[in-house]
Amino acid sequence: MSQSEIDPAKIKLIRRRFCQLSQIRLERMLSSFNMTQSDSIQLLPLLFHVNHPMLPGYIDKDTPCGIPDYSPDNTVKSIAKTASRSFKYKSRAYLRFEVVALYLMGSAGTLAQTFRSDLDLWICINEKMSPERAQKLERKAGLITQWMAERGIELNCYLVNKNDFQGKTNKIFSTESCGDTQNYLLLDEFYRTAIWLCGRMPLWWVVPVDEDYISYAKRLIMQKHLDETEWIDFGPVESIPPEEYFSASLWQLYKSIQSPYKSLLKLLLLEVYARHSAKTDLLSSQFKQRVYLGEIESQELDPYLFMFNYAESFVVEQPQRLEFLRRAFYLKTGSKIQLKPKGKVGWRYRTLVNIVQSWGWNQKRLEYLNHRGSWKINIVLKERAELVRELNHSYHFLANFARKQGVADQVSQSELLSLGRKLYSVFEKRAGKIEVINTGIVRDLSEPALTMVEGLSRRWSLFVGAVQKEKIVISQPVYTADTMFMLIAWCICNQIANEYTSFQVFASDPYLNQKLAHRVARQLQKLCQKRQSKVDDEAFQHPAVTVKVGVFVATRKDPLREEKSSRYINIGQSSDHFCWGEERRNLLNDFEVFSTNSWGENICKNYRGTSAWIQFFQDNRDILADIDEKMEIFADTLPQPEKLKRRIRELMVEWNRLIINQLKKHKNYRYLMSFGREFLRINFDEEGISYQSYPDLEQMLYSLAEFSTSRFEHVVDEHLNVPPLISKMIARKSNESINCYIAKISTKEIQVFVKEPQGHLFYQRHRDSSEEHLMTYYQQFIDSINLTQGFLSAKGVECLFWYSDLTGNPENFRFNKIKPEKNTLPQTYWRIKAIGCFNSIEDICFDLYCGPTVYRYRDYGDLVYRKLAQYIIQQRGKSEHYPIYITDLDLSAVIPEPHLCHYFEYKREIENRLKNTLDKLK
């Protein structure tokens, strides 16, 4: 195939056309800014051309600067004088040019540019620039960006070199940059939207669409038709690699959080590209072809309108999508068109009037869109639903396209992970997460009045305005939630409620009223104001962690309602909020938590019941190292709120200490606390955290002997609502001996505590016994266990006995060590042995022996206790009424390796059954 002849005159013509097009776009862009802003933009080339201490962006004389073929005109020199009166431009020769060109790209100078639009500046650099010098140039660009921001212009600067598109160079992903996930799509957009400011021009301009790019570009240089130093070659963009579609769709979904209508247009363009890439040229190629045909004055060559017309042609037979596409385009322009404008209007206005007339839109339709700023929640919810539908439609097609092409794994996984996390944080629905409904649709959603209603199913509904009670049944709620608190949190997070919003509440419980609603709203606003308004991109490189927690107590019901109705609150001996007053009421077993994580997600969760605080602790352990800063507690409706806050913080810190100790020291803990009328035992061991609750003190004390294979320590909550003796005994440390504590409570009652080396604590209460006899019986019982287990040697487990008489002074916990005499059981006392066995359903039962007499379970069943009691009574005198004690116990047939605590637990169970039987036989 013969090569076409290169026409130098045609090259000059095409170059002139592209330069004219850039100038038209530049003038249109500048006309949309005020004079100060326009002057600042025109000054950009000079700021990167020189280093002057009095001009913005100066770092030092060695900072990269100088742009080839650039010399400021008189207008720019005059503007520079306004920035620095002492500045005087001096032309100088540069040994090398490290900044080779400046371009603006994107919506600048198009129909889509609004007064809120930012500017994207490409600072094209020499590919040989060192990383250190590039970093210095970035600092210079940052200072210029700050200077522009002071003038109301949002400028985004990007350092670009031609190799960025000929091979990936690991560009950094950020809020404004898609990193290296979309090289060719970005280049396609650049070629059709770029405004050339100064320096080298794109070689792409002068390579005809129907020519082989690489071959033709080489001929242009080799045959001296062009001076290579005047041009920059980013390379061709003839097609989009399939792997870019998936990453680009994720990127546009992310961008839709702030600019939904702009992203919708670009997503649809991607969808069209993917569907028809084999049949049609890319937009950049079509755009260039129109320039080659001399259509630079045509309004249809506006890059955004060009993109819209291209996308529109493919959905013209899908009325719903076509209508939404047009609406998105109109709203993206930010204009408020009147079909019959009064006075003189600009080019954008005239163009848009022609466009909407061609669509057949009337003024009523335009007025609805023109008043977008006053849209409220009902309209926004509907608009968002349509936006999400369209975004999902394009995204799912592009994701499936990438999978079918087998290229999903070729995309940069680290950047896709970050993008995916951003999307998850905004669009993913999950339990408790507050959905953000206003993703760039309107600027203000606040309402002056809101009505909250509790339904028959206890579910809450939100209505806009102060709705009369009788009209609620014919009104449509905008949102529903499980609790009033969750409704308010949703309103605050979506900025539907502010400090001026009034609440109206209809609830079955008068406690849930307007006053409470306003208090919660103020507290939530205070909490939200303290959190970081914008999430840093770095946060999405890591899993989400909680950064702020608000605990809201008594927002669902009043825990003191009964006391308040009687107008008398009796605190009694307990002012602990977990066990309040004489009624031992738990004021903290129902609370709401509002948390914010490092991805900016807001989550509401209701905790209630026995496990509420344990679950809260497990969910929020990561904040406990900085609990004072990261956790706030709101409990203004309860008595002594400051004490309550300290109590919760101290409890969380203590539990965290136990967790850390368990991990470091491999030591397990059992934490005991009062929880209303119940008692909680919280276990911190190698399996994590677990808990048991007990309805009364005795059951809790019995649980302390439950077998554990590991050593552990009992930790007593300082507010545990138990007699002082019991609290002291639980807290006593274990040692290598068995310690038996005998406490005489009264003339009728003795309490026995046995602490063994692993930490188990056995408790039993005895009546109608003497301390001497009890000590002897316990010694006999322990000796029998040692004998059974082969511990009779000198190395056996020693049992130490301690005694305290509390009958005269209940607060005297001084235990004296005593030593019982061996084998001093009186002859009239019977030695009783129990041997474990299984019944027909594998429950543990016992055969009972008294001297030569035996009562087997298989013969008598549960009557073995009655038979033994009757036999003992017959052997005693009529006046002898004292308990029956077990002196020996064999568990070898029912428990493979019985532990000491097993023996004591079954001893207590058998003796209690014998006691109950004796009481019935009296």
Side-chain angles (χ1 to χ4, degrees), residues 563 568-576 579-584 639-640 643:
E563 285 82 349
Y568 179 69
I569 301 178
N570 190 348
I571 296 178
Q573 294 182 343
S574 178
S575 61
D576 177 31
C579 185
W580 182 269
E582 290 188 350
E583 294 297 319
R584 295 170 58 192
Q640 302 178 349
K643 180 180 178 181

Side-chain angles (χ1 to χ4, degrees), residues 248-309:
S249 63
L250 283 176
W251 170 249
Q252 289 305 327
L253 274 178
Y254 166 59
K255 295 291 286 183
S256 73
I257 298 167
Q258 297 299 327
S259 304
Y261 300 107
K262 176 181 176 181
S263 293
L264 177 67
L265 291 170
K266 292 192 173 183
L267 265 176
L268 186 54
L269 175 64
L270 287 171
E271 183 183 339
V272 173
Y273 270 2
R275 288 183 187 274
H276 305 286
S277 58
K279 302 176 183 177
T280 63
D281 290 330
L282 297 179
L283 270 183
S284 56
S285 296
Q286 296 182 42
F287 183 84
K288 181 160 65 171
Q289 187 62 38
R290 298 283 283 271
V291 174
Y292 271 61
L293 294 174
E295 300 180 14
I296 61 173
E297 297 291 342
S298 171
Q299 69 174 24
E300 292 186 359
L301 211 57
D302 178 277
Y304 255 80
L305 183 57
F306 196 74
M307 177 177 67
F308 168 78
N309 288 335

Side-chain angles (χ1 to χ4, degrees), residues 180-191:
D180 62 13
T181 59
Q182 305 167 47
N183 280 343
Y184 290 98
L185 282 166
L186 183 61
L187 190 56
D188 174 59
E189 182 181 1
F190 170 77
Y191 280 149

Side-chain angles (χ1 to χ4, degrees), residues 76-90:
V76 173
K77 291 177 182 177
S78 297
I79 296 172
K81 284 285 187 181
T82 64
S84 171
R85 291 183 179 180
S86 63
F87 172 76
K88 185 176 182 180
Y89 178 74
K90 295 180 180 179

Side-chain angles (χ1 to χ4, degrees), residues 685-795:
D685 53 36
E686 58 274 0
E687 295 182 2
I689 306 174
S690 60
Y691 80 96
Q692 289 83 33
S693 64
Y694 305 98
D696 54 48
L697 175 60
E698 188 170 68
Q699 291 297 315
M700 187 269 285
L701 290 173
Y702 285 179
S703 78
L704 305 184
E706 287 181 7
F707 176 63
S708 171
T709 56
S710 305
R711 294 180 70 98
F712 62 88
E713 179 183 326
H714 287 114
V715 181
V716 177
D717 183 87
E718 62 175 322
H719 297 282
L720 182 66
N721 194 5
V722 297
L725 168 67
I726 291 176
S727 179
K728 293 289 185 183
M729 295 310 304
I730 296 173
R732 278 185 182 263
K733 306 291 185 184
S734 58
N735 53 40
E736 297 304 315
S737 301
I738 301 171
N739 289 272
C740 182
Y741 301 92
I742 299 174
K744 187 173 183 178
I745 307 301
S746 67
T747 56
K748 290 290 187 178
E749 181 180 343
I750 294 176
Q751 293 181 7
V752 176
F753 302 85
V754 179
K755 195 97 173 187
E756 58 82 52
Q758 274 188 240
H760 301 92
L761 179 66
F762 169 78
Y763 165 82
Q764 189 169 356
R765 185 172 60 178
H766 299 275
R767 298 185 66 83
D768 301 321
S769 294
S770 69
E771 56 272 23
E772 292 86 359
H773 289 160
L774 277 175
M775 185 168 54
T776 303
Y777 272 116
Y778 272 90
Q779 182 65 63
Q780 290 287 325
F781 183 73
I782 293 170
D783 286 347
S784 298
I785 295 171
N786 281 337
L787 181 63
T788 301
Q789 295 187 338
F791 294 150
L792 198 58
S793 66
K795 296 182 180 179

Side-chain angles (χ1 to χ4, degrees), residues 842-859:
E842 298 298 309
D843 288 336
I844 295 177
C845 303
F846 293 95
D847 296 333
L848 302 179
Y849 292 79
C850 182
T853 306
V854 57
Y855 299 96
R856 299 186 185 280
Y857 186 85
R858 69 175 183 229
D859 297 329

Side-chain angles (χ1 to χ4, degrees), residues 533-547:
S533 59
K534 189 175 181 181
V535 179
D536 190 88
D537 291 319
E538 176 65 22
F540 294 100
Q541 302 295 328
H542 312 281
V545 294
T546 303
V547 296

